[in-house]
Amino acid sequence: MLGRGSMLRSRSQIAGGRSDRRRIAIVRRSRCCGAALAAFGLLIIFDRALAIGGGKLMTAEKKIAFGWRVYSLGVVAMALLCLTWGTFDPGQPVPKNFPDRTALAYAAAAFMLLAGAAIEWRRTVAWGAAALAIYYALIVVILMNGRVMLVHYAEFGTYSGTAEQLAIAAAALIIYAASANIDATRAARLTRGGQLAFGVCALLFGGAHFFYMNLTAPLVPKWLPPSQEFWACATGVGHIAAGLAILSGVQARLAAILLTAMFASFTPLVHLPTLLADPSSHTNWTENAENLALIGAAWVVAISLARPTRSAH
């Protein structure tokens, strides 16, 4: 696996002048591992978690709550890390010379903390989800990352990095649609919108594996046969296949379950070892927290695809 110094040198060769933290966030989202091995075995576990008892609505509703909690925990963890380091999340690029940047970073982190924690309670889940959906969609994706995309529009990593933030917004939108007191037609439209957005994100995640193969392959544990390049390609294809399935509706739920399992395997195989190797790095901590949020996001999508109708949380 790439050491931190080697990774930074590789990023500078791709596009000089970009922020080290920003490039780390982009590349590590493009990481791959032997997730395909674990995904098949975890499929049964996730499938049972999503639809025990023949997929009855009440059971699915309980498991949706758990998926929401995983998502919420990831967002809260990201917020706590921002408060600890006194800066913005690496996926929220704000110029270093921006007026009152530190104060705004603390304010944004506090907002994320409160909104994320709100999803843990039934009475406030809709408010928390709505707040996160608006913040991530309008502020993070459009304002913060939109500026970066205008400057670095020719770099694929710019879009795959932004997709991480869009995926978090999409999950919040789905949670809001399932928990808010709105009519079923509107809820269905919002849910489908979130699913489509997440599907596009999966395509971009997979594409980044191939655009940055020289950085992705070294992240694969060397002990996984047949080769690091093989798993770099396999997991990239897995992301793309999942994205196409979610967008088309063909085996969409199965694809979302497998994607959830794959994200879950990234923690013990990639992110946790990296954190243990350099526990002083804000980026390493953030990658673990963000991956937890994306596990929850994929889980939210999977369960939303399993539900035939919307019901109150």
Side-chain angles (χ1 to χ4, degrees):
M1 189 162 53
L2 277 178
R4 191 164 186 267
S6 298
M7 188 176 292
L8 293 178
R9 286 192 295 271
S10 298
R11 281 192 200 91
S12 65
Q13 292 174 358
I14 292 177
R18 293 292 302 275
S19 165
D20 285 347
R21 285 182 178 176
R22 177 64 179 163
R23 186 59 75 185
I24 288 176
I26 290 172
V27 172
R28 287 212 178 130
R29 180 64 262 170
S30 305
R31 76 272 190 263
C32 71
C33 60
L37 292 174
F40 183 77
L42 290 175
L43 170 59
I44 297 177
I45 297 176
F46 277 103
D47 190 65
R48 286 179 61 82
L50 297 175
I52 289 178
K56 294 181 180 179
L57 186 59
M58 184 59 67
T59 300
E61 199 63 39
K62 292 180 180 178
K63 297 308 174 183
I64 286 176
F66 185 75
W68 295 358
R69 292 183 189 280
V70 173
Y71 169 83
S72 168
L73 182 60
V75 174
V76 168
M78 293 167 62
L80 290 175
L81 291 173
C82 291
L83 289 172
T84 301
W85 262 269
T87 187
F88 285 95
D89 180 84
Q92 302 176 13
V94 176
K96 294 291 186 181
N97 59 351
F98 197 86
D100 299 318
R101 186 182 189 277
T102 300
L104 290 174
Y106 278 114
F111 175 84
M112 290 169 57
L113 178 63
L114 292 176
I119 295 179
E120 297 289 337
W121 285 274
R122 292 184 180 182
R123 292 184 178 181
T124 58
V125 58
W127 289 100
L132 285 177
I134 293 172
Y135 173 72
Y136 269 92
L138 298 182
I139 306 299
V140 178
V141 174
I142 295 179
L143 293 182
M144 294 182 177
N145 284 277
R147 175 186 60 83
V148 177
M149 287 189 286
L150 289 176
V151 177
H152 302 281
Y153 59 87
E155 297 180 34
F156 187 87
T158 301
Y159 304 101
S160 62
T162 302
E164 298 174 6
Q165 313 308 313
L166 180 59
I168 295 176
L173 181 62
I174 293 173
I175 294 174
Y176 170 77
S179 60
N181 185 24
I182 57 178
D183 64 85
T185 300
R186 183 183 178 190
R189 290 176 179 173
L190 292 176
T191 298
R192 187 53 183 159
Q195 293 168 352
L196 292 174
F198 191 86
V200 172
C201 293
L203 293 178
L204 291 171
F205 295 158
H209 280 232
F210 297 98
F211 272 86
Y212 302 111
M213 181 61 67
N214 63 318
L215 300 175
T216 301
L219 296 176
V220 179
K222 293 182 179 180
W223 50 265
L224 280 176
S227 69
Q228 292 175 305
E229 289 74 17
F230 172 84
W231 290 113
C233 293
T235 49
V237 170
H239 278 97
I240 295 173
L244 291 175
I246 293 171
L247 291 173
S248 66
V250 178
Q251 296 295 327
R253 177 170 174 263
L254 173 62
I257 293 172
L258 287 171
L259 194 60
T260 304
M262 185 165 67
F263 286 166
S265 71
F266 287 161
T267 293
L269 292 175
V270 175
H271 294 304
L272 188 56
T274 304
L275 176 62
L276 294 176
D278 185 8
S280 64
S281 170
H282 176 213
T283 298
N284 290 347
W285 283 97
T286 299
E287 284 300 308
N288 278 272
E290 185 176 83
N291 192 61
L292 181 61
L294 291 176
I295 292 170
W299 200 329
V300 167
V301 172
I303 301 176
S304 71
L305 290 165
R307 297 195 307 166
T309 58
R310 172 185 177 273
S311 62
H313 179 63

